[in-house]
Structures are given as structure tokens and as C-alpha cells.
Amino acid sequence: MSDLLDDVVAAAGLTVFGAASVPGSIDARTRLDPAVLPLARSDDHDLVARIAALRAEFLSRGLDHVVLCGMGESSLAAEVIGRTLGVELTVLDSSDPHQVRAALDDRLGRSVVVVASRSGSTVETDSHRRAYQQAFEDAGLQDVGRRFVFVTEPGSPLATTAREMGAHLFLASSAHSAFSAFGLVPSGLAGVRVDTLLDEAFPRPAPHFAAGFSIAPPAPEPSATDFADPALMLGAALAAGALAGRDKLALASDGTGLDGLSDWIEHLVASSTAGSGRGLLPVVLENPSSWGHEGPDVLSVTTGGALAAGVMPGGGTAPDLAVNGPLGAQFVVWERAAAIAGRLLGADPSTRPDSEPTRLVLDAGLPHETPTFVDGVVEVYGNTSATTLVAAVDELARGVPPFGYLAATAYLDRVGDAAAAGVRDALAARVARAVTFGWGPRYLHSTGRLHKGGPATGSFLQITGAVTDDLQVPGRPYTFGELQAAQAAGDRQALLAGGRPVLRLHLIDRATGIEQLLAALGG
Ligand SMILES: O=P(O)(O)OC[C@H]1O[C@H](O)[C@H](O)[C@@H](O)[C@@H]1O
């Protein structure tokens, strides 16, 4: 792959430079031409100061637990920022009733809730807002509206709700970005020094961000290499890789601290290249040498940058590309690179996932299905001739075409049932195909679009679980459990209608079922 990158770079007249720990390193700290810096918006100039003032107000009221309700781009950047910088932020992007209940039960009296949605109409986010409002009222807390912070676009229904509730409101008037209010408000309220993050992203002097930030003395006249553009190199490499058949983008942290970044990149790349018919399938790996890091259809990329020269990430496994730099610089480079790759691949950036399947199921009622067979605590649904759990999964995997992929999706509690994520590695070790893992409904907002809109080379293993403690969505005729079941059923129906094979495993007992599944796959 390094040859491919070299060709791309040479063709573009660029030079790769930086402290390369591996061939193909891209230094995300490389200075960008100020003319191409994004986010030249005057309305953000006081954002940092507003966030700091609001945090101080909350702390003075004893509100020190920040919950973020938002799906996809509206929560992923803030989650990565908090995770990377070690600042606690509770992210709620699930319809699982157990996960929602656990969040509501966690320090409710000390909680502030950030409701983030660009459109203001995303069903999960609206449901979370309703659940928190109800819980605050039931607990007899005062000034409920002032415990909410809304981040949305001007004119969205959420802006109206915020005003009606007397809540704090941040209007983000441009496209999603880690550096917009969507990334900065929740993380800043939770205690992240957002000015430091911005400094990492926009090396000084940054004329577009001058107001609100300290301004360094003018830099010396830049040399030609200072303006080599890592985003252009990375974007060109991603697109060139996809066009050359490397359409699985294996993403891993190099172990130097940017651990949640791959999930954010997954969403960014999937949404930027979906709709092109030849999108890149992001495959988030546990580490650089996990199953799935190599293959003729794989472009492997690590992110990090604190490794000494010559030290390979992941205990000696060299990736095709290494993108090095601190978190802020990574955000800038990846956002632009994904847009460039999408453009080169002919993607339509305006496509959004279809929420119609969920709505149809909610309207018509959940389908009545009978398991094909039951193995232990796992009900198996789908068109299979197998009679055991492992045989059914193996049969599904055998049907994946060469260079296709197997996507495992889990409509479970991603905190309480976290062990289910181990299914990815276990499956990948078993089948000679790319294997992805996504929590439902979170993945519907990112890779879900590729599953249905990309090449029809995927097979799908959907995992659902028994709900023992359901929760009503206030003001709606359904519970969180019913919403979750409708999302899972809607996705199954949409996949099957598109001719994609689907096997569903329903865990009658979640913890035992996960253990049983992992044991079966490892056997
Ligand atoms: O911010 P919202 O309007 O609530 O949208 C949340 C998510 O919805 C859709 O899934 C979009 O494809 C995502 O890119 C977006 O992040």
C-alpha cells in the first residue's frame, strides 16, 4: 500500500514528511494552508467563553454530571474528546431500556442533559429528552428546563422546544464538525479544555479563529513543505485504495492514547462515502494486529502518533498508513480527508439513513416471528438448515462472497452488555472475511447506510436480547423496548428486501447468551 500512497502523493506533487514511525506515515500536525482552514464562522467566536461560563454556572448549582443525548455525528466527537482526554461524559445513544434506565438512575440530581440534534427530529434523541424531563419532574427537582442544554440548528423543532422549556440553547449554523458546538459544548461542559483542543487543530496564527483565542506572534514566512496538505494526501489515498479494490478500511489506535477515535472515523468515512455505490467499509479493530488487519481488499490505518521512530504499532504489525498527530489535528485532517475521498468516489453527501423502516414497524406493530430453532438460551431466527447456533453462524459466514463482509449488529445495552463486542474478533478469527461490529441503533446512523446502499456483499448477524425492565417513552405510544425492537425489525426487513442474508440471534438471557455465543464461536 505504501507504493500506492507514493504514487498518489507523487501524482499530486506532494511530499510525505514528518516523524515517520512507519512507511506511509502522514503527519496530521502539518500546517494547512490558512486558505483552506474550515470553520471560518464568526458566530463561533464566543463559543469557548459561553461554554466556560455555563460550566461555572452548573458547578455553582452542584450540577457536575453531564449526560449527552445525541446520535451519530451529534455525539461521537464529544465522546471521543472526553474519552481521549480522560473527562467523564455519559453518552446516551441507545434505545435499549436497560441502558436508558441505568443512565437515569445515575446521579440524577447532579445531572445536566445536553440534547444534541442537528435536525431536531431524531427519534432516539427526542425519546431521551422526554425520559429525562419526566425523571427530573418525578424527582421533584426545581428549574427543570435550566438543566437542559440544546445544541441544534436555527429553525429546527428542537430550538422551539428549548425556548418553550426555558433551556440553554446553542445554535450551530454550519455543517457538523468536531469543532462545532456539537463537539465542543458537551465536552467543554464536562470539563475539557476546548481551547487547547482548538490550538492542536489550528496551529497559530489562525486568522479565522483569532477572536476568543490567544494570538501568537506572526509565524515566519512558511516554506513550501509547510503547506503540504495531509488531508489531501489521506483523502487521495483512501479513494485510490477503494478504487484499487481496497475497500475495507481497517482502523486501529496505535496504542498511544487516541482510543475512541476509530469509532468517530468509522461514522465519518461511512457517511462521507455512502451513496457512491463503492463506499469504503470501515472495520474498527481492537488493535493493529487484530483479525482483519490484512488482506488484498484491506487498507489498514492506525491513528496515534506518540510512537518513537522505527517502533511499529501493535507489536510489530506495520499498517498501510499511519496518521500521526494529537486529537485536534486528527479531527481536522480526517474531516477534510473523508470529504475529499467522498468527492473522488462520487458520493452524494446529502444522503441520510432511512428512518422509514422503524416507523413502518411502529405503525404496523412488531412482527410475530417463530424461531427456526432454539439452542441453549439463544433463539435462532432466519432461513437456515442448521440446527445448532454455531452451525447457523458458520452457514451464514460461508455465504459471504470473496471480498464481501459479515456485519454483526447488537441491539443490546452497550454498557451493561459490553462483552457482546467480543463477537467481532471471535467471528473474524473464524471466517476469512472482513467482520464489523456495531451497536444498534447507533450503527444505523453510520455504517447502516452502507449496509443497504453500498455494494450488496454483506451478510448480517443481528443480536437482540430479552427486555426485563422496560420503560415508557413519555408522551409516546411505545416503550423504549418496543422502539428498539422496531428498529431491529425494520433493519432486518430492509436488508432482506435488498436481498441481503440476515440471521437473527435472540438472547433469552443476555449475559448467559453472550457467554454461550462467544464460547460457540471460539470452539
Ligand atoms: O443530528 P441529528 O439530526 O439528530 O442526526 C443524527 C444522525 O442522523 C443521521 O443518522 C445522520 O446520517 C447522521 O449523520 C446524524 O449524525
Side-chain angles (χ1 to χ4, degrees):
M1 177 55 213
S2 300
D3 291 347
L4 177 57
L5 177 65
D6 288 346
D7 291 349
V8 170
V9 167
L14 300 170
T15 316
V16 181
F17 68 99
S21 61
V22 294
S25 275
I26 291 176
D27 190 342
R29 286 159 299 195
T30 307
R31 187 127 59 90
L32 301 180
D33 182 340
V36 298
L37 278 174
L39 304 176
R41 300 193 311 279
S42 57
D43 58 348
D44 270 356
H45 286 171
D46 66 349
L47 183 60
V48 177
R50 278 190 70 201
I51 294 169
L54 188 54
R55 175 169 156 79
E57 181 195 320
F58 283 143
L59 290 178
S60 75
R61 290 166 57 198
L63 305 179
D64 60 358
H65 176 223
V66 180
V67 181
L68 168 59
C69 306
M71 303 306 293
E73 285 165 284
S74 291
S75 60
L76 278 163
E79 181 172 39
V80 177
I81 294 169
R83 201 168 144 189
T84 301
L85 302 181
V87 171
E88 190 200 8
L89 175 68
T90 299
V91 177
L92 197 51
D93 59 357
S94 171
S95 48
D96 186 84
H98 300 159
Q99 191 174 335
V100 176
R101 217 181 251 289
L104 294 171
D105 287 346
D106 180 17
R107 292 165 284 173
L108 186 70
R110 287 162 46 193
S111 298
V112 291
V113 179
V114 181
V115 181
S117 172
R118 181 160 56 148
S119 64
S121 58
T122 299
V123 63
E124 297 93 335
T125 312
D126 178 64
S127 305
H128 297 143
R129 194 266 304 163
R130 288 167 180 273
Y132 264 101
Q133 190 171 354
Q134 183 77 54
F136 286 144
E137 285 168 6
D138 290 351
L141 298 172
Q142 301 298 308
D143 275 341
V144 166
R146 302 302 283 170
R147 285 175 176 263
F148 283 93
V149 181
F150 287 75
V151 183
T152 190
E153 281 191 337
S156 92
L158 216 50
T160 310
T161 311
R163 292 192 181 102
E164 285 168 0
M165 289 174 61
H168 303 277
L169 175 62
F170 287 82
L171 292 175
S173 57
S174 83
H176 264 117
S177 156
F179 298 104
S180 70
F182 289 101
L184 299 185
V185 170
S187 54
L189 291 178
V192 167
R193 288 287 313 269
V194 292
D195 47 353
T196 309
L197 193 71
L198 288 162
D199 282 348
E200 288 176 1
F202 304 101
R204 293 178 239 180
H208 301 309
F209 266 85
F213 302 97
S214 53
I215 300 174
E221 200 56 32
S223 70
T225 49
D226 280 343
F227 283 158
D229 183 340
L232 185 55
M233 288 191 282
L234 179 59
L238 297 178
L243 293 172
R246 292 175 184 269
D247 61 356
K248 315 295 182 306
L249 179 66
L251 295 163
S253 161
D254 73 7
T256 56
L258 300 183
D259 288 342
L261 189 61
S262 296
D263 285 353
W264 176 82
I265 298 171
E266 176 191 53
H267 176 282
L268 180 75
V269 169
S271 50
S272 304
T273 64
S276 65
R278 50 187 175 193
L280 272 166
L281 180 79
V283 181
V284 176
L285 303 181
E286 295 74 15
N287 65 63
S289 51
S290 296
W291 291 102
H293 73 274
E294 59 189 354
D297 56 341
V298 175
L299 176 68
S300 63
V301 182
T302 58
T303 51
L307 291 177
V311 177
M312 296 297 170
T317 306
D320 295 319
L321 295 174
V323 182
N324 300 328
L327 185 60
Q330 296 273 357
F331 281 147
V332 176
V333 166
W334 280 98
E335 283 182 0
R336 295 190 56 243
I340 290 164
R343 184 73 181 264
L344 291 173
L345 292 170
D348 173 3
S350 65
T351 58
R352 283 177 70 86
D354 193 1
S355 53
E356 194 65 3
T358 302
R359 201 185 57 73
L360 289 178
V361 176
L362 281 173
D363 288 352
L366 292 168
H368 294 287
E369 295 161 299
T370 315
T372 311
F373 65 91
V374 182
D375 182 342
V377 297
V378 181
E379 293 176 347
V380 179
Y381 295 80
N383 188 8
T384 174
S385 57
T387 53
T388 65
L389 170 60
V390 72
V393 173
D394 283 344
E395 186 183 280
L396 179 76
R398 276 197 303 277
V400 178
F403 307 124
Y405 65 96
L406 183 58
T409 61
Y411 285 81
L412 298 171
D413 172 349
R414 79 174 169 108
V415 180
D417 303 317
V423 163
R424 196 214 74 84
D425 197 47
L427 269 175
R430 227 180 146 82
V431 304
R433 298 285 184 270
V435 178
T436 64
F437 178 87
W439 295 104
R442 178 181 152 110
Y443 76 90
L444 290 176
H445 297 272
S446 61
T447 48
R449 268 184 283 182
L450 278 180
H451 294 167
K452 286 158 295 213
T457 54
S459 293
F460 297 85
L461 182 69
Q462 188 186 78
I463 306 168
T464 57
V467 170
T468 52
D469 200 6
D470 209 351
L471 183 68
Q472 184 68 35
V473 179
R476 294 285 185 243
Y478 45 79
T479 63
F480 277 97
E482 286 161 352
L483 173 61
Q484 180 187 42
Q487 290 174 313
D491 199 40
R492 287 199 302 276
Q493 290 171 2
L495 288 165
L496 288 167
R500 272 70 160 175
V502 180
L503 187 74
R504 173 186 171 210
L505 308 179
H506 181 72
L507 314 180
I508 305 166
D509 176 291
R510 292 186 180 204
T512 312
I514 293 167
E515 271 175 33
Q516 184 189 331
L517 178 58
L518 290 174
L521 293 175

